[in-house]
């Protein structure tokens, strides 16, 4: 017999292990700033573990929850979820109509072929069903590391989705990266200067016929395929997988930093689990031209080693990773080891009782040596004897996370 799972479809289906990130952008037609969260995929139902029985005989395969491939927007102003209307018609031929009005340009930019070098990717209007993937928002078009160089934020933050597992249990490699342009028809045409692969948005002098971004619940996914750089001393991202890993955006270097996660050939048949403790960095696309090199059109991944003398964090999955821009370092919290053990540490204060907390690590990048130095944080100002100061006293994993600077947020 077959296997299946029912799920209600009269609202946003409940889920876990979805990807989610927030974006803010100004919509000219509405004359207002839009505050949204983007959510994709996840898994529902079939939460039982272990091998299942098929025709009375125990199978050698394991149950997988039903996996989703839907895109949703949360409207922070209206406090509602909305299913996203996806842009991008996927035409094989270039748009043949007029281009002299905003309406005609909107149709053209939904279908133009200049931004899609391979017809095979034209039909990918959405990422495949996936769970346990990483979703990160990029907010700047270039590095902000040099204080004397002013960098204007992107008009529309770019969402990048990668990693995780598919509906058949296979782990998705890092050469499958999906970029989402919220409220937009996709990347702006390469003929609009500067050609930097940013999401299409209205600009009075340079891009006056753009109808993006819209205040409507809409947007476009674009498939990116980072190239194999192993022949030039780099890595082949097609061989790297990360399920339940963690990633964050580093605006100082304008890169997406990924660490950890499990990897295998197939989740339905694996009997042991392996985890990573390697940092990979993704440099986002910098051109939307079909004639651009793959590095510029698709972006690329590099492996960044630990510096000499660095501490070594345990390989893990289910942890959090954030960027502390004030101290220019990564902050990592919690997670599980490959064996499934919650990663905790014991704190013994000078007075009071000892207590356990999730592991906390920081990593600082050395740009001269192109490496990271990890350091475990071991001194905390909490007390388990004062109720207002009690920290989490167990492991912590699969949690939502963000870095809040000491100056706070307005």
């Amino acid at each position: 017999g077959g296997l299946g799972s029912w799920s209600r479809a009269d609202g946003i289906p409940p889920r876990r292990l979805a990807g989610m990130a927030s974006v803010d952008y100004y919509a000219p037609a509405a004359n207002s700033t839009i505050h949204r969260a983007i959510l994709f995929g996840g898994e529902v139902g079939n939460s039982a573990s272990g091998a299942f029985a098929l025709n009375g005989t125990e199978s050698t395969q394991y149950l997988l929850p039903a996996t989703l491939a839907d895109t949703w927007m949360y409207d922070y102003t209206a406090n509602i979820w909305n299913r996203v209307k996806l842009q991008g018609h996927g035409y094989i031929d270039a748009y043949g109509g007029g281009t002299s009005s905003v309406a005609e340009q909107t149709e053209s930019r939904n279908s133009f072929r200049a931004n899609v070098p391979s017809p095979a990717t034209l039909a990918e209007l959405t990422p495949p069903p996936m769970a346990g993937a990483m979703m990160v928002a990029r907010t700047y078009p270039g590095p902000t590391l040099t204080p004397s160089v002013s960098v204007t934020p992107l008009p529309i933050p770019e969402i990048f989705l990668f990693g995780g597992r598919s509906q058949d249990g296979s782990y998705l490699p890092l050469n499958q990266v999906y970029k989402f342009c919220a409220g937009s028809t996709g990347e702006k045409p390469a003929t609009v200067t500067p050609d930097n692969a940013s999401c299409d948005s209205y600009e009075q002098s340079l891009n006056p016929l753009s109808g993006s971004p819209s205040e409507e619940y809409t947007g476009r996914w674009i498939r990116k395929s980072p190239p194999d750089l192993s022949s030039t001393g780099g890595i082949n991202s097609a061989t790297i997988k990360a399920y339940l890993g963690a990633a964050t955006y580093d605006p100082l270097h304008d890169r997406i930093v990924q660490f950890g996660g499990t990897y295998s050939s197939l989740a339905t048949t694996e009997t042991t689990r392996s985890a990573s403790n390697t940092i990979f960095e993704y440099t986002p696309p910098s051109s939307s031209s079909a004639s651009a090199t793959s590095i510029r059109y698709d972006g690329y991944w590099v492996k960044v080693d630990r510096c000499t003398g660095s501490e070594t964090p345990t390989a893990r999955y289910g942890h959090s990773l954030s960027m502390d821009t004030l101290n220019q370092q990564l902050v990592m919290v919690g997670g599980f080891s490959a064996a499934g053990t919650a990663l905790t540490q014991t704190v013994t204060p000078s007075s009071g009782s000892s207590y356990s907390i999730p592991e906390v690590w920081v990593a600082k990048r050395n740009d001269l040596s192109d490496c990271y130095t990890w350091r475990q944080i071991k001194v905390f100002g909490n007390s388990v004897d004062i109720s207002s100061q009690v920290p989490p006293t167990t492991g912590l994993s699969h949690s939502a996370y963000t870095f809040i600077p000491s100056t706070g947020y307005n």
Side-chain angles (χ1 to χ4, degrees):
L3 301 173
S5 174
W6 283 98
S7 179
R8 290 185 59 169
D10 55 351
I12 178 171
R15 65 195 66 203
R16 63 190 179 196
L17 302 184
M20 190 166 71
S22 291
V23 293
D24 290 351
Y25 50 90
Y26 177 75
N31 192 27
S32 63
T33 299
I34 307 299
H35 308 283
R36 303 275 166 83
I38 312 301
L39 180 143
F40 181 83
E43 61 184 33
V44 298
N46 284 355
S47 58
S49 60
F52 60 83
L54 193 61
N55 297 328
T57 303
E58 184 172 308
S59 171
T60 57
Q61 295 193 339
Y62 293 88
L63 289 169
L64 280 181
T67 311
L68 300 170
D70 49 351
T71 307
W72 292 79
M73 272 190 183
Y74 181 75
D75 188 326
Y76 286 107
T77 303
N79 295 322
I80 55 173
W81 282 102
N82 291 271
R83 191 182 293 272
V84 173
K85 175 186 176 182
L86 295 179
Q87 302 282 350
H89 300 319
Y91 294 151
I92 293 299
D93 296 319
Y95 172 69
T99 56
S100 60
S101 68
V102 171
E104 290 174 335
Q105 280 284 348
T106 298
E107 182 71 9
S108 172
R109 296 179 190 201
N110 259 288
S111 59
F112 68 95
R113 193 172 179 174
N115 286 12
V116 186
S118 169
T121 63
L122 276 162
E124 292 199 49
L125 299 183
T126 176
M130 62 173 69
M134 292 156 279
M135 184 181 280
V136 178
R138 178 199 184 202
T139 53
Y140 285 92
T144 62
L145 186 62
T146 305
S148 60
V149 178
S150 177
V151 182
T152 302
L154 288 165
I156 305 175
E158 301 168 358
I159 302 294
F160 290 90
L161 177 71
F162 49 89
R165 68 151 183 85
S166 66
Q167 61 184 345
D168 65 0
S170 59
Y171 291 173
L172 297 169
L174 293 187
N175 71 334
Q176 295 183 29
V177 176
Y178 293 88
K179 176 181 177 180
F180 185 74
C181 290
S184 178
T185 54
E187 293 175 339
K188 67 183 181 184
T191 53
V192 176
T193 58
D195 173 24
N196 58 5
S198 62
C199 295
D200 189 26
S201 62
Y202 172 83
E203 206 281 327
Q204 185 174 7
S205 59
L206 297 176
N207 200 11
L209 292 179
S210 172
S212 300
S214 167
E215 74 276 16
E216 297 180 359
Y217 305 112
T218 185
R220 183 174 185 177
W221 287 105
I222 304 168
R223 163 74 180 271
K224 298 294 181 179
S225 303
D228 177 2
L229 300 179
S230 58
S231 62
T232 56
I235 62 171
N236 181 7
S237 55
T239 64
I240 301 168
K241 302 170 184 178
Y243 171 56
L244 300 177
T248 189
Y249 176 59
D250 173 7
L252 302 171
H253 301 88
D254 188 31
R255 292 169 185 156
I256 292 172
V257 185
Q258 190 277 330
F259 179 87
T262 66
Y263 55 91
S264 177
S265 56
L266 200 62
T268 55
T269 58
E270 66 179 13
T271 56
T272 59
R273 184 184 296 113
S274 300
S276 167
N277 66 347
T278 301
I279 286 181
F280 296 97
E281 291 180 342
Y282 177 67
T283 298
S286 59
S287 173
S288 61
S289 172
S291 61
T293 62
S294 180
I295 283 180
R296 294 198 63 207
Y297 181 83
D298 296 299
Y300 62 95
W301 288 96
V302 297
K303 175 186 175 183
V304 186
D305 293 325
R306 291 184 294 274
C307 299
T308 302
S310 169
E311 298 179 48
T312 304
T314 301
R316 67 193 62 210
Y317 67 94
H319 50 292
S320 70
L321 189 70
S322 298
M323 184 67 195
D324 174 359
T325 54
L326 295 181
N327 295 298
Q328 300 186 5
Q329 63 187 8
L330 301 171
V331 180
M332 181 173 69
V333 179
F336 290 106
S337 69
T341 302
L343 295 170
T344 62
Q345 61 190 78
T346 300
V347 177
T348 304
S350 57
S351 61
S353 306
S354 297
Y355 56 90
S356 294
I357 61 171
E359 282 191 359
V360 180
W361 290 78
V362 296
K364 190 176 286 288
R365 199 183 199 286
N366 183 326
D367 292 335
L368 293 178
S369 301
D370 224 19
C371 60
Y372 281 89
T373 297
W374 285 99
R375 177 172 58 90
Q376 187 172 6
I377 302 298
K378 298 181 179 179
V379 178
F380 297 86
N382 299 88
S383 171
V384 293
D385 301 317
I386 302 175
S387 59
S388 62
Q389 295 185 13
V390 176
T393 54
T394 61
L396 196 62
S397 64
H398 307 314
S399 56
Y401 51 91
T402 188
F403 175 75
I404 301 177
S406 58
T407 54
Y409 285 124
N410 185 342

